[in-house]
């Protein structure tokens, strides 16, 4: 008997978030029952996030792409193990992080980074006081130079701050999931996340002063909040 | 009341809803009167909003296409996916016997009936399944199992890797795989008296 296929060609159903979840659940069930060819459709919405998670840890584009592919294959091989209570995207990201960490451990940088990880995590950080700071509206992300500046700011963060920030705020894992993915405590995640967010806030605010965003069209007449 | 330093210390938790009601209202009050802290709060929210935007993720040209191709190659009908599994069942059983929790009822030398419909719907521990081990125990678990000892020092690996490194399956979270996979070959003595976890993890708990 053919599988019921009510969601595939129904744009109305596809448009609600509720139905989006149902479509994903439907795909998961089919792949678990052996429809391997649907796997890419299932993971495609997350392929960019998977790559970004790998890149955050490996900092090398070709390694990140390779690990992203390996992670997807691993997810595929483990599909029967996926349980509906979990978020599929989170499960994928966790597999990716695990794969990326294993790859990095095989690399040469281990000793250096282990030392790096022990310094200064608990010390307090006072955010700078800026006289003139304006919110960067999300439309600004349409501009490549803005995305570039944000990416550069993120890249200046120490690894331990950057990884937690990327998983929590870019990959949207929750604090517990971030802790599990990186193998660190919840308390560490919170401390590092605070530091990462404060530093990025300072870097972006300083960017205003340095004119990073000065040519943006929204500057004039924009609400100083 | 809280001062600026205290606000900075908890401002990230405040955004994540990780502060208790008392601290939250004290911080709310502080933000109303302190321009510096409310600037930090707005700036931090701005950071989270911007970086959380999908547009911040840049992937190399052709990435999606290459991924799709790799997955398509992988999805080609592989006839002998289950043969690795078959080869793997023997060492599983051997380890379980070693752990002292199981009795081998039938001879393991006969070919296990893995081609049955039942087996193919996903019973048995797949070698590639991700499992976790913790620092001081010789057991591997399904992630999230309540019986993982020392959760802070977990490590994730595949079931196959865990086996190769000498770990044995947790009979609580992996019981379903053990029973069904080995139907007719390995029999659990009883629900109550064979938890080999006890030998390892309970002892450690008592030793504390
Ligand atoms: Zn203040
Ligand atoms: Zn367990």
């Amino acid at each position: 008997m053919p599988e019921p296929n009510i969601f595939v060609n129904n744009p109305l159903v596809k448009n609600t978030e509720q139905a989006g979840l149902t479509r994903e659940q439907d795909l998961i069930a089919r792949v678990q029952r052996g429809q391997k060819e649907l796997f890419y459709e299932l993971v495609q919405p997350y392929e960019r996030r998977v790559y970004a998670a790998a890149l955050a840890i490996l900092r090398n584009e070709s390694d990140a792409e390779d690990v992203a592919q390996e992670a997807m294959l691993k997810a595929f091989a483990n599909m029967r193990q996926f349980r509906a209570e979990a978020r599929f995207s989170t499960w994928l990201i966790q597999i990716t992080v695990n794969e990326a960490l294993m790859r990095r451990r095989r690399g040469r940088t281990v000793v250096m980074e282990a030392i790096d990880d022990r310094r200064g995590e608990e010390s307090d950080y006072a955010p700078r006081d800026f006289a003139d700071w304006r919110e960067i509206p999300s439309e600004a992300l349409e501009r490549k130079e803005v995305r570039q500046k944000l990416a550069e700011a993120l890249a200046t963060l120490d690894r331990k701050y950057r990884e937690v920030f990327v998983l929590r705020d870019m990959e949207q894992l929750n604090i517990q999931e971030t802790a599990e993915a990186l193998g660190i405590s919840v308390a560490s995640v919170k401390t590092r996340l605070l530091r990462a967010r404060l530093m990025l806030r300072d870097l972006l605010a300083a960017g205003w002063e340095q004119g990073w965003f000065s040519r943006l069209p929204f500057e004039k007449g924009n609400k100083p909040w | 009341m809280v001062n600026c330093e205290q606000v900075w210390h908890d401002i990230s938790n405040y955004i994540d809803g990780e502060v208790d009601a008392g601290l939250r209202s004290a911080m709310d009050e502080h933000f109303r009167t302190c321009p510096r802290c409310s600037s930090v709060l707005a700036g931090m929210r701005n950071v989270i909003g911007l970086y959380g935007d999908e547009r911040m993720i840049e992937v190399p040209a052709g990435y999606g296409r290459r991924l799709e191709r790799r997955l398509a190659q992988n999805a080609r009908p592989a006839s002998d996916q289950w043969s690795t599994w078959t080869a793997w069942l023997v060492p599983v059983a051997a380890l379980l016997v070693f752990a002292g929790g199981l009795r081998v009822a039938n001879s393991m030398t006969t070919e296990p009936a893995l081609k049955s419909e039942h087996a193919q719907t996903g019973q048995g521990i797949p070698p590639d399944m991700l499992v976790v081990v913790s620092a001081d125990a010789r057991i591997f678990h399904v992630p999230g199992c309540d019986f993982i000892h020392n959760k802070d020092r977990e490590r994730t690996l595949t079931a196959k890797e865990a086996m190769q490194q000498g770990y044995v399956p947790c009979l609580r979270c992996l019981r379903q795989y053990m029973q069904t996979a080995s139907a007719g070959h390995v029999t659990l003595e009883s629900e109550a008296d064979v938890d080999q976890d006890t030998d390892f993890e309970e002892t450690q708990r008592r030793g504390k």
Side-chain angles (χ1 to χ4, degrees):
Chain A
M1 244 193 53
E3 303 275 353
N5 204 15
I6 54 169
F7 297 113
V8 174
N9 294 312
N10 189 338
L12 290 174
V13 173
K14 261 187 173 172
N15 279 342
T16 70
E17 199 177 348
Q18 186 76 38
L21 280 178
T22 311
R23 171 69 184 145
E24 179 171 292
Q25 285 161 353
D26 179 54
L27 280 172
I28 289 169
R30 286 155 182 264
V31 174
Q32 284 177 330
R33 287 194 302 260
Q35 284 184 262
K36 298 175 173 187
E37 69 283 1
L38 293 178
F39 184 70
Y40 182 65
E41 188 182 343
L42 172 63
V43 298
Q44 205 260 337
Y46 309 116
E47 65 183 16
R48 297 166 64 83
R49 283 171 61 187
V50 163
Y51 173 82
L55 185 65
I57 289 164
L58 297 166
R59 310 198 84 176
N60 170 296
E61 290 190 4
S62 68
D63 283 353
E65 179 163 348
D66 197 36
V67 159
Q69 291 186 358
E70 292 298 327
M72 293 287 202
L73 290 172
K74 212 159 196 174
F76 179 75
N78 282 278
M79 270 307 286
R80 286 172 303 163
Q81 191 206 335
F82 176 74
R83 297 284 170 262
E85 312 87 70
R87 263 198 303 170
F88 184 70
S89 57
T90 301
W91 184 71
L92 261 187
I93 300 299
Q94 285 175 326
I95 291 173
T96 307
V97 170
N98 184 58
E99 198 68 17
L101 289 173
M102 284 197 309
R103 172 77 58 109
R104 188 172 65 195
R105 265 178 228 126
R106 289 199 296 267
R108 297 171 301 144
T109 48
V110 176
V111 177
M112 254 179 53
E113 310 211 69
I115 293 164
D116 169 69
D117 260 3
R118 270 179 230 133
R119 74 186 144 81
E121 192 170 313
E122 292 301 325
S123 63
D124 280 331
Y125 179 89
R128 283 179 55 192
D129 195 7
F130 292 94
D132 176 36
W133 180 78
R134 269 166 285 184
E135 184 170 334
I136 301 165
S138 68
E139 308 88 73
L141 292 174
E142 291 298 330
R143 301 178 147 243
K144 192 173 170 56
E145 71 264 30
V146 172
R147 298 197 301 269
Q148 188 72 40
K149 286 296 184 191
L150 295 183
E152 284 167 12
L154 177 61
T156 65
L157 263 52
D158 268 7
R159 192 188 100 196
K160 57 180 178 287
Y161 303 124
R162 194 184 62 245
E163 286 174 358
V164 166
F165 180 82
V166 168
L167 292 185
R168 172 76 184 103
D169 286 339
M170 298 181 75
E171 304 285 343
Q172 322 288 343
L173 300 193
N174 67 30
I175 287 173
Q176 179 69 40
E177 290 160 352
T178 304
E180 283 166 14
L182 293 171
I184 60 180
S185 68
V186 163
S188 269
V189 170
K190 289 181 176 176
T191 312
R192 295 179 191 189
L193 188 59
L194 167 67
R195 175 69 74 87
R197 286 167 168 180
L198 282 176
M199 288 191 293
L200 285 170
R201 176 264 178 189
D202 281 5
L203 287 166
L204 265 51
W208 270 115
E209 288 190 338
Q210 292 156 20
W212 283 4
F213 310 111
S214 61
R215 283 177 298 118
L216 296 176
F218 54 81
E219 192 202 10
K220 224 173 279 174
N222 190 38
K223 67 253 156 170
W225 52 270
Chain B
M1 278 312 287
V2 289
N3 62 29
C4 292
E5 281 78 14
Q6 289 168 299
V7 168
W8 300 336
H9 187 265
D10 272 297
I11 195 163
S12 176
N13 290 332
Y14 174 92
I15 287 176
D16 283 334
E18 298 270 336
V19 295
D20 62 42
L23 181 55
R24 170 162 294 273
S25 60
M27 288 175 77
D28 285 338
E29 182 60 33
H30 186 96
F31 289 130
R32 271 193 288 275
T33 54
C34 177
R36 179 168 182 186
C37 287
S38 57
S39 149
V40 175
L41 179 65
M44 194 178 268
R45 285 193 165 131
N46 193 199
V47 161
I48 293 167
L50 291 170
Y51 283 96
D53 194 295
E54 279 282 315
R55 286 170 288 189
M56 276 305 293
I57 296 178
E58 220 104 32
V59 300
Y63 161 73
R65 202 165 19 82
R66 289 189 293 275
L67 176 64
E68 185 175 13
R69 202 163 52 219
R70 181 101 187 259
L71 293 174
Q73 281 164 7
N74 186 62
R76 278 199 208 110
S79 52
D80 54 359
Q81 229 182 326
W82 285 91
S83 62
T84 41
W85 196 96
T86 312
W88 192 66
L89 183 65
V90 176
V92 172
L95 269 162
L96 288 173
V97 171
F98 172 76
L102 296 170
R103 173 187 297 152
V104 176
N106 291 3
S107 164
M108 291 305 296
T109 55
T110 57
E111 168 97 1
L114 290 170
K115 297 287 191 278
S116 76
E117 190 56 33
H118 192 55
Q120 300 218 8
T121 52
Q123 304 307 316
I125 306 175
D128 284 338
M129 175 171 166
L130 295 183
V131 299
V132 298
V133 298
S134 61
D136 315 311
R138 305 305 300 162
I139 313 280
F140 68 89
H141 303 263
V142 172
C145 170
D146 286 340
F147 293 93
I148 302 172
H149 187 64
N150 212 344
K151 278 191 198 252
D152 276 355
R153 295 171 63 197
E154 273 179 32
R155 184 162 68 86
T156 305
L157 65 180
T158 65
K160 188 179 172 188
E161 288 160 352
M163 301 291 298
Q164 284 166 348
Q165 293 169 28
Y167 292 91
V168 296
C170 167
L171 282 187
R172 292 183 176 98
C173 58
L174 291 160
R175 185 187 293 278
Q176 59 178 112
Y177 295 100
M178 307 324 298
Q179 285 175 319
T180 328
S182 47
H185 298 277
V186 180
T187 318
L188 292 170
E189 279 186 354
S190 81
E191 290 282 314
D193 59 7
V194 297
D195 284 341
Q196 99 278 15
D197 300 36
T198 313
D199 301 342
F200 300 91
E201 300 193 7
E202 285 299 322
T203 322
Q204 287 165 357
R205 247 171 243 135
R206 266 184 247 118
K208 268 193 174 168

